[in-house]
Every structure is written in structure tokens, then in C-alpha cells.
Amino acid sequence: MTVVHARSMLVHVDVILITLDQFRGDCLSAAGHPLARTPNLDRLAAEGVRFARHYSQAAPCSPGRASLYTGTYQMNHRVVGNGAPLDRRLDNVAWAARRAGYVPTLFGYTDQAVDPREATGPEDPRLLTWEGILPGFEVGLKFATHDPGVWVRWLRDLGYEVPDDYEGAVGGEPGRPAEHSLSAWHTDGLIDWIDAQAGPRFAHLSQLRPHPPYAAAGHYAELYAPEDMPAPIAMGETRHRLHDSLRRSVLRAPDDPAEMAKIQAQYFGMVHEVDAQLGRLWKALEHRGLWDDTLIIVTADHGEQLGDHGLIQKGGFFEASYHIPCIIRDPRRPKAHGTVVERFTENVDILPTLCEAMGLPVPAQCDGLPLTPFLAGEDPPWWREAAHWEFDWRGAAIPLGPHQWPWDRRLERQNLAVRRDETTAYVQFGDGSALCFDLEADPTWRTPVTDPAVILAKAQGMLAWRHQHLDRTLTGLLVQDGGVGRWPDGVQAG
């Protein structure tokens, strides 16, 4: 048995992975949104490939990003909420980039809590916050909501009076010019870093916006009029008890339509501003002759309810919390540029796609599939028939403990999984209850399916999905004749 060491080869493409926090999948003018203006994302779509039905696998931030970074579903990575640690056994996008010869560098945040087995004890400062850095990344610029100090100090050096807290600092953006926004600061830092690197480059730009507080930077705060805002999807007449529970939390949308319209207007302003910052990055790459040497991926960690079903922010089971944008421009594969993919794609597909783009094998842990065939204008040999996501809310109950293991299993029932296909959305709850929505008759998720035969078929589809994505680390190998089958990552017969 020999250990396969990291590659030293240089890959002939720079990589920029961009996440936009809490960005709804429908908020692209290229996707036909009646209000949102996103000319720079539209340009990337026109010169790349846009995945129209792309989904995050979990919410809120930490679980969604864990799926993105590791290529695994929540049922496998087990980051069940903000604050749940990321298991050190898992491979991730940063380690993959290092194997390919890059020094992956972060501008922003990754929201991944340290595995406590890596900590030195309760006094380890890494155990004070879940806003840790994904292992493998170098840090170019770091932003954290628990400590926005670096950006705040930069603003104070410019002469602004800025409070120390995150809500106050970011919430004050309408009163400052957009060139001094958090999104601009991140973009400036990335452009400066690009200038300082000889290559190959791998950067992760993690923009906070359009995440709350709902306060757009500078003139973008006035760009959209509240009176022009469309009415959100109303709540259904009957609701699952989780829906009502979320309505009793910070996720409750304002009951006053005028207040909700103000939130919408600020959200679209934030979308517009972060798009403008991407435009600055595109121009910088062009000016430096790097546009056609850089693989760009833009996606989000999760979506935003924006008043739909009486909810804001993210969580629960409705589609708006999980439908997100995905645009990829690979300059080496121009054949498919300008195309729109209507297949169901997921954030767990990003790591496999990057691995193939960097000349690496796809790790066995990955639940996702490479998007490479679509980028090449080809059909893959097999593709999924539905999108899947999960939501776990045990984080609200853990501090209320103790929960006497192994007899108290309440935490294990506080979760759900969704399978959304062409016509139906099936929601299975950990307590045994379920919902099924007829999306063909009503795409707003307010019309239940009542036919038991249809519901059974959808439940069986979810069960098969879970069966097919059990951990496979050692399952492809038989210990006989020196080892037969697929060896675990990093080890091979010899």
C-alpha cells in the first residue's frame, strides 16, 4: 500500500469561486425577474453557462456552505446548524485546490466551526464562535459578524463614525457611498491580491450581501421604490406546525405590506450593488488580460423568503430558501457559452466540478456530480430527476438540555428533508409527519396532494435517494487478493 501525495503540477487556469449570501435564484434579470437588475451576472451568463434550477442543500449559512465546500448532503456532513462543527475527516474545496497546486485564498468568510477534537480545550478561542475558516484556506481578508473590526477600522480611517456591532455597522450602509461598502471592500482586497500573485490563483470571494440587515449601500438604497414591489406569495389556509413555529421567530415577515415592501426594495438594492461589484471584478480581470484565463463560479449559500408564505430570511422547507443562482464560465470550454441548463443541479455539484476543472479525481465522499458535461455542451450519461435539500432546527433546543443519551431522542426528530421533482414537492419530517405539494397545479406550494398512491411514490423516491447517498468511504473495496475495487481517497494498491 502506498500513500498518494499531493500533486505539484500547476493547472493552467485561475479559479475564482464566488458566493453571494442569501441570494434568491429568481433575482436575475437574465432569468426574467421584472425588477432586479443584474447586468454583470447577466453578462457572465451570456459568456458562460447558467443553471436555471440550481439549489442549496441546507440552510442557514453553516449547513449550506458545508454542502457547497464538501460536496455532501447534510445527512452526511452533519453540520446541522450555525455552530455545529464540521467533521475534520471531510475533504473540502480548499484541500482539493492545494492538491492541484494552488494556494487557495479567502476574501470574506466560510462560517465553518472547528471540529472540537482539533481544539485544545474549552479555552481554545476557536470554540468561541462558529464563524471559523474552512481548513485549507489562506486568508486574504476576513469578515465575521461577531467581529467586523477590520472593516470597521477601515471605515473609521476614512472618517466615518461607525459602531462596533455588525448590525449597526452594516445597517449604516445607506448613509455611506457605495464605494465604501462591505462588498466594495472585499472586491478591492481581491483585486489587490490578484495584482500581487504570479499565479496560479485560486480565490474564494465570499460576499455578505444581499444578506440582512436590509439596508443597501449608498445610492442603491434609493434605486428601487417600495410602491413598485410585487406582493409576496400569501400563506396557505392550512399550515404545518413548523411553519407556524417559524412565524413566531425572527423569520416572521412584517404584517404591514408597506414595511414588507421596504424590505423588498432594500433587498433588490443590495442585489444590484453586489452585482455592480462583480462588474468591477470582471473589468479588472479584462484589464489585466486574465478574463480568458480564469474559471469563474458564482452561486449562493442559500436563498431568501422575502415575504413569501409570511416569512423572511431562510429556513423551513419552502423553495425560496433553497433555489439559488449558479453561473459558471470556463474559458476553455466556449462551445456551451450562452446556454441555460434546465436540469436540477445542486451545490453539492460544485466540488466535483472544480475537481475535474483542476485535473483531480472526484472524492468518493461527494454526493454531487460534475457539471463538466453541461459546460462542454454535452449531455451527461446520467442525471438526477429531482432536487433535494434539508433543514435541521435542533440548534434551538440544544442549549435547553440536558438531553439524556441514549433515551432522549427529541433532537433527532427536529429535521426535515425535501425532494422536489418536476411536478411535486415531498417533505418528510423527522417526527414522521409529511407534506406533499402539487407544483403542476400550483407552483406556489399551497396546494396539497391528496392521492395516497402519488404520495407513496414520492416517499419511496426520497427513501431511495437516502439509500443511494449513504457514506461510501470504504464501501467500494473488498479486502481480498490484496484489495479489490475502489480504494479510499489518498491510498492505492501497490
Side-chain angles (χ1 to χ4, degrees):
M1 180 181 75
T2 59
V3 176
V4 181
H5 294 286
R7 294 187 175 197
S8 60
M9 62 171 286
L10 297 182
V11 180
H12 300 293
V13 65
D14 288 352
V15 178
I16 301 179
L17 170 62
I18 301 170
T19 51
L20 308 176
D21 201 319
Q22 209 152 309
F23 199 116
R24 282 174 65 108
D26 61 356
C27 283
L28 296 170
S29 40
H33 195 278
L35 292 176
R37 282 167 274 171
T38 54
N40 298 293
L41 285 167
D42 297 347
R43 178 198 169 181
L44 190 70
E47 298 185 27
V49 178
R50 179 168 68 87
F51 296 85
R53 294 200 287 182
H54 189 78
Y55 292 84
S56 169
Q57 271 54 77
C61 302
S62 292
R65 289 173 182 271
S67 288
L68 169 67
Y69 296 140
T70 69
T72 61
Y73 291 121
Q74 187 178 56
M75 61 184 173
N76 287 325
H77 65 63
R78 306 311 292 143
V79 178
V80 293
N82 288 345
L86 178 66
D87 195 321
R88 64 187 177 188
R89 71 182 172 84
L90 290 170
D91 196 2
N92 67 54
V93 64
W95 291 130
R98 287 186 180 273
R99 292 196 297 274
Y102 297 94
V103 180
T105 304
L106 170 69
F107 297 84
Y109 55 96
T110 57
D111 283 346
Q112 297 304 295
V114 66
D115 187 326
R117 293 167 295 187
E118 299 283 353
T120 57
E123 302 304 318
D124 191 318
R126 292 175 296 173
L127 294 176
L128 297 177
T129 174
W130 50 267
E131 294 180 293
I133 303 299
L134 185 74
F137 270 118
E138 299 292 318
V139 177
L141 282 178
K142 180 182 178 181
F143 178 81
T145 59
H146 77 281
D147 181 20
V150 178
W151 175 59
V152 168
R153 288 192 293 273
W154 177 72
L155 289 173
R156 288 173 179 167
D157 288 343
L158 292 172
Y160 297 107
E161 292 185 6
V162 185
D164 290 321
D165 67 288
Y166 153 75
E167 288 283 346
V170 181
E173 289 210 313
R176 297 187 292 268
E179 57 263 31
H180 297 155
S181 72
L182 179 61
S183 298
W185 183 65
H186 282 144
T187 305
D188 291 342
L190 174 55
I191 292 172
D192 290 344
W193 177 85
I194 290 171
D195 286 339
Q197 303 301 308
R201 303 173 182 87
F202 187 111
H204 175 24
L205 175 61
S206 179
Q207 293 281 30
L208 178 72
R209 300 312 214 153
H211 187 284
Y214 300 99
H219 68 279
Y220 294 98
E222 305 296 331
L223 207 57
Y224 295 84
E227 56 268 26
D228 294 336
M229 296 300 107
I233 297 171
M235 291 185 291
E237 293 183 2
T238 59
R239 296 180 297 277
H240 189 273
R241 57 185 174 275
L242 174 64
H243 188 175
D244 285 335
S245 177
L246 295 176
R247 287 267 299 161
R248 293 190 294 270
S249 74
V250 296
L251 304 188
R252 182 188 182 101
D255 294 325
D256 182 353
E259 288 300 312
M260 188 62 238
K262 290 178 182 178
I263 288 177
Q264 290 175 287
Q266 290 302 305
Y267 182 82
F268 293 138
M270 292 190 291
V271 165
H272 200 133
E273 193 259 335
V274 79
D275 177 85
Q277 298 301 336
L278 294 180
R280 292 181 56 228
L281 177 59
W282 303 168
K283 289 180 181 178
L285 292 172
E286 286 180 307
H287 181 70
R288 291 155 179 78
L290 298 173
W291 181 248
D292 288 324
D293 297 313
T294 304
L295 169 67
I296 300 173
I297 298 178
V298 178
T299 188
D301 52 357
H302 51 72
E304 157 70 58
Q305 285 291 147
L306 208 60
D308 288 346
H309 302 282
L311 299 169
I312 56 172
Q313 299 197 45
K314 64 279 184 179
F317 48 84
F318 290 116
E319 186 161 15
S321 286
Y322 303 92
H323 181 217
I324 57 174
C326 180
I327 304 172
I328 302 177
R329 183 181 188 271
D330 188 339
R332 302 166 301 177
R333 297 185 172 94
K335 180 181 177 181
H337 286 183
T339 61
V340 178
V341 174
E342 297 287 349
R343 302 280 190 93
F344 289 112
T345 57
E346 302 179 335
N347 258 3
V348 292
D349 301 331
I350 298 299
L351 177 56
T353 303
L354 281 169
C355 284
E356 289 204 341
M358 296 185 297
L360 300 175
V362 176
Q365 76 180 31
C366 287
D367 294 318
L369 298 159
L371 299 171
T372 312
F374 299 118
L375 300 179
E378 302 167 354
D379 287 326
W382 175 86
W383 203 256
R384 65 178 66 90
E385 297 178 351
H388 314 83
W389 57 86
E390 298 167 90
F391 178 63
D392 195 303
W393 59 96
R394 76 184 70 197
I398 290 175
L400 305 178
H403 297 83
Q404 298 300 322
W405 186 259
W407 306 112
D408 187 343
R409 300 275 175 145
R410 284 175 294 171
L411 296 181
E412 313 312 317
R413 296 191 289 272
Q414 297 179 22
N415 58 78
L416 63 85
V418 178
R419 182 183 186 275
R420 187 256 198 260
D421 60 26
E422 294 283 354
T423 63
T424 312
Y426 178 77
V427 187
Q428 179 66 55
F429 294 87
D431 65 0
S433 62
L435 297 171
C436 194
F437 297 99
D438 185 344
L439 304 185
E440 197 168 36
D442 175 12
T444 69
W445 291 57
R446 293 182 296 179
T447 299
V449 173
T450 57
D451 185 340
V454 174
I455 296 172
L456 174 62
K458 302 307 177 181
Q460 290 172 327
M462 175 171 286
L463 185 60
W465 166 69
R466 296 186 73 89
H467 275 302
Q468 293 163 16
H469 291 92
L470 297 173
D471 184 275
R472 65 194 68 81
T473 304
L474 298 175
T475 59
L477 181 72
L478 293 177
V479 181
Q480 64 183 50
D481 300 326
V484 178
R486 183 184 68 224
W487 285 72
D489 294 335
V491 179
Q492 67 179 18

